[in-house]
Amino acid sequence: MTSQLVELDLSDWTRARSNDDWIAALEAGKVLYFPRLRFELLADEQRLLDPALLAEGSRNISLDAAGRLKGAAGDAGKQQATAAMVARFRSQARQLVDGLLPAYGAALRMAPTSFRPAQVETRTQSWRADDKRLHVDAFPSRPNYGERILRVFTNLNPHGAPRVWRVGEPFETVAERFLPRLKPYVRWQAKALRALRVTKSLRSEYDHLMLQLHDAMKSDLDYQQSAPQQTVPFPPGSVWVCFSDQTSHAVMSGQFMAEQTLHLPAASQYNPAASPLAILSRLTGRTLV
């Protein structure tokens, strides 16, 4: 399988510049990998690299656009330091995206920023929630009508441990493989889910297909083992960027990661025809939203 990584030699968050080849690779589902783009922690922030910082019952720590911190334990001083660290990462992640992808600009919508101090290997989850299985991101309760999920990650591990991913085959190949076995979209069922408040809005056929695709990938254990894929250990101090609704990925191990999600309308891409919405519309021959 052709590598799904594009390695870039950037070491300054403020000096990212756009490049047609990098943009095309990203919008085709590849991962932009920056081995030298370190997110520097302040001296006092080293103490925050502690799994005890995660509040009981929380999967990660998040900071929303209004500065509200969720999921963190500890006293007011520790929470304030955590919020400041996460906010600084958010600012640098946005600088990186604006430099690499300037045409996205005002079309981008920032989601909460997360800090994940938990160890991946020890998480106990259902098969649907198990991110150690290859998948593309799709969310049961939040239909997005084809809006893209752009993510910036960095490994903050202080002990030298990599964040290990598996990266799978291109999205269109995955879709061609699984589409014939997906259940058809039924509009009255989507309306019932909305009426019962299972979903926050009416699930479109696109959202239905993406969720079915996510589940079909994760439930197929033969596919998990035999699908074309590469194992990628992202070392501490590295940064990587991808559209997680398009990049087939699994998170196998690691601890202490920061992540920024940004949402983008598919029509605002450099090449809208490369989006999952466009690909699924073409493969099904239908308008999906």
Side-chain angles (χ1 to χ4, degrees), residues 186-265:
V186 181
R187 190 170 178 82
W188 71 260
Q189 291 178 341
K191 289 182 176 180
L193 291 173
R194 176 66 184 96
L196 293 170
R197 298 187 179 180
V198 174
T199 60
K200 297 182 186 300
S201 59
L202 184 70
R203 184 180 288 170
S204 68
E205 185 172 2
Y206 169 81
D207 293 292
H208 168 82
L209 290 176
M210 287 295 289
L211 188 58
Q212 291 265 309
L213 188 59
H214 169 277
D215 289 356
M217 293 173 72
K218 284 190 174 181
S219 65
D220 189 333
L221 297 183
D222 287 338
Y223 178 75
Q224 293 293 323
Q225 293 294 324
S226 63
Q229 57 192 274
Q230 64 186 117
T231 298
V232 185
F234 294 107
S238 66
V239 171
W240 59 105
V241 180
C242 72
F243 280 109
S244 64
D245 55 331
Q246 185 170 16
T247 302
S248 173
H249 64 288
V251 187
M252 305 310 296
S253 66
Q255 188 175 17
F256 305 112
M257 183 189 76
E259 174 268 331
Q260 177 64 60
T261 297
L262 305 98
H263 297 288
L264 178 77

Side-chain angles (χ1 to χ4, degrees), residues 88 98 108 154 164 265 278 288:
R88 200 171 73 259
D98 286 344
L108 286 169
T154 188
V164 179
L288 300 178

Side-chain angles (χ1 to χ4, degrees), residues 8-270:
L8 302 175
D9 188 30
L10 180 70
S11 59
D12 186 333
W13 294 82
T14 67
R15 292 184 178 274
R17 298 293 181 267
S18 64
N19 174 285
D20 289 346
D21 291 338
W22 305 342
I23 292 168
L26 180 70
E27 293 192 343
K30 295 197 175 187
V31 180
L32 301 187
Y33 171 45
F34 304 87
R36 300 198 307 124
L37 189 60
R38 178 179 297 273
F39 177 67
E40 296 288 351
L41 295 180
L42 305 179
D44 187 51
E45 291 172 345
Q46 296 293 334
R47 66 190 175 107
L48 303 178
L49 300 181
D50 180 354
L53 185 66
L54 189 64
E56 186 175 355
S58 297
R59 184 175 174 180
N60 57 58
I61 294 165
S62 67
L63 184 74
D64 68 15
R68 291 184 294 262
L69 189 70
K70 297 181 180 179
D75 59 24
K78 185 169 285 189
Q79 296 218 5
Q80 185 176 14
T82 302
M85 177 186 74
V86 176
R88 200 171 73 259
F89 173 71
R90 175 172 61 198
S91 175
Q92 293 190 355
R94 182 62 196 251
Q95 278 186 312
L96 176 66
V97 169
D98 286 344
L100 291 172
L101 306 154
Y104 289 177
L108 286 169
R109 180 171 60 86
M110 299 283 283
T113 315
S114 70
F115 171 49
R116 306 181 185 187
Q119 188 173 39
V120 170
E121 301 94 306
T122 59
R123 288 197 310 228
T124 302
Q125 297 173 299
S126 69
W127 66 266
R128 278 192 177 90
D130 185 3
D131 287 344
K132 293 191 292 294
R133 303 186 186 205
L134 283 169
H135 65 285
V136 290
D137 283 351
F139 304 108
S141 65
R142 292 175 291 166
N144 70 9
Y145 297 86
E147 189 175 52
R148 308 306 315 280
I149 305 171
L150 178 64
R151 286 186 158 155
V152 180
F153 305 88
T154 188
N155 184 0
L156 301 174
N157 194 284
H159 310 301
R163 188 87 173 182
V164 179
W165 275 29
R166 289 186 292 144
V167 180
E169 57 192 350
F171 180 85
E172 185 159 351
T173 306
V174 174
E176 289 174 335
R177 184 191 298 270
F178 285 101
L179 270 176
R181 66 176 90 167
L182 303 186
K183 296 177 182 178
Y185 176 71
V186 181
R187 190 170 178 82
W188 71 260
Q189 291 178 341
K191 289 182 176 180
L193 291 173
R194 176 66 184 96
L196 293 170
R197 298 187 179 180
V198 174
T199 60
K200 297 182 186 300
S201 59
L202 184 70
R203 184 180 288 170
S204 68
E205 185 172 2
Y206 169 81
D207 293 292
H208 168 82
L209 290 176
M210 287 295 289
L211 188 58
Q212 291 265 309
L213 188 59
H214 169 277
D215 289 356
M217 293 173 72
K218 284 190 174 181
S219 65
D220 189 333
L221 297 183
D222 287 338
Y223 178 75
Q224 293 293 323
Q225 293 294 324
S226 63
Q229 57 192 274
Q230 64 186 117
T231 298
V232 185
F234 294 107
S238 66
V239 171
W240 59 105
V241 180
C242 72
F243 280 109
S244 64
D245 55 331
Q246 185 170 16
T247 302
S248 173
H249 64 288
V251 187
M252 305 310 296
S253 66
Q255 188 175 17
F256 305 112
M257 183 189 76
E259 174 268 331
Q260 177 64 60
T261 297
L262 305 98
H263 297 288
L264 178 77
S268 296
Q269 289 187 214
Y270 286 78

